[in-house]
Amino acid sequence: MNLTAEEFSDLAKQRLRPEPPSLGDLISRPRGDHDLQPLPMAAPDEKAAIPAAVLIGIVPRPTGPTVLLTLRAATLRRHSAQVAFPGGRVDAVDGSPVITALRETEEEIGLPRSRVQTLGFLDAYLTGTGYRIVPVVGLVEPPFSLTLNVHEVDEAFEAPLSFLLDPANHRREGREWQGLHRTYYAMPFGDRYIWGATAGMIRNLYERLAG
């Protein structure tokens, strides 16, 4: 899908969820890598999962909109050196996934929350590691400068939205994990390997926009 920032914004407002998905949502079940397994696999327990939120930030650029991504710090205990959206756990005082996503983004990469215009939400994403992630989709208004929290992020970078929304770049790959063969989406971009939950949420964004 080759969209301008304005076309993306208009389409997102039409096809994304206008409100965050609630627990036990009957309209659309939570997504997750459990959807992709060769053998039927039960979804993780949504109510027992740790609530989290991420920002899928779309940046208008003269050459076309991009998606803001991070490379998690290599020193982290979990998911180290993986490509991710900025975000993290919901704090009790946050009040909404939007506040969580913007707060965590500001803490991780120094992006002021005033630069983000929320467009909508994707379906919740359940991870095999026990998180329930609400993806918040928003426009990030340039210009902006980033200050990375080196304890959490090694790098912030942008990937073309047109590349990430092209289904030809949505590869299905697999590996052994906890004694089982698991499959997942992967979207290699240059020397960056986008996979797992991050790629799964990008795929959900594509499916929502494609209708």
Side-chain angles (χ1 to χ4, degrees), residues 8-210:
F8 175 86
S9 180
D10 290 343
L11 194 59
K13 290 175 182 177
Q14 294 173 31
R15 297 187 175 172
L16 298 186
R17 307 174 66 109
E19 300 291 339
S22 57
L23 282 172
D25 190 333
L26 299 178
I27 296 176
S28 179
R29 61 183 172 79
R31 302 300 184 95
D33 288 345
H34 56 277
D35 290 331
L36 307 175
Q37 304 318 310
L39 297 176
M41 179 180 178
D45 184 352
E46 185 180 10
K47 293 182 179 179
I50 300 167
V54 299
L55 174 66
I56 301 181
I58 310 300
V59 186
R61 297 294 187 191
T63 56
T66 63
V67 180
L68 185 60
L69 293 159
T70 69
L71 186 67
R72 289 170 57 84
T75 54
L76 291 173
R77 292 178 58 188
R78 305 185 74 175
H79 307 293
S80 59
Q82 291 186 7
V83 174
F85 294 115
R89 292 188 184 202
V90 172
D91 281 353
V93 296
D94 283 344
S96 78
V98 173
I99 294 175
T100 299
L102 297 185
R103 174 184 57 75
E104 285 283 340
T105 297
E106 196 164 26
E107 291 175 3
E108 288 182 12
I109 61 175
L111 177 69
R113 59 193 74 187
S114 61
R115 309 304 291 181
V116 182
Q117 174 194 349
T118 302
L119 298 176
F121 305 86
L122 295 178
D123 305 315
Y125 197 96
L126 298 176
T127 71
T129 52
Y131 286 85
R132 179 186 184 269
I133 303 172
V134 173
V136 180
V137 181
L139 281 181
V140 180
E141 181 185 357
F144 54 84
S145 60
L146 303 179
T147 303
L148 305 187
N149 180 340
V150 296
H151 300 293
E152 297 189 48
V153 175
D154 279 345
E155 186 179 347
F157 66 98
E158 296 175 30
L161 178 67
S162 59
F163 174 88
L164 296 177
L165 293 186
D166 185 347
N169 298 323
H170 299 177
R171 291 170 22 180
R172 290 284 291 272
E173 298 185 354
R175 65 175 61 179
E176 294 295 318
W177 188 65
Q178 294 185 347
L180 297 173
H181 183 75
R182 301 292 181 88
T183 62
Y184 48 84
Y185 280 110
M187 303 166 188
F189 172 67
D191 60 351
R192 304 298 184 204
Y193 185 64
I194 304 168
W195 71 288
T198 302
M201 286 183 272
I202 293 170
R203 176 69 185 189
N204 187 204
L205 177 63
Y206 161 74
E207 291 174 352
R208 279 272 174 178
L209 296 179

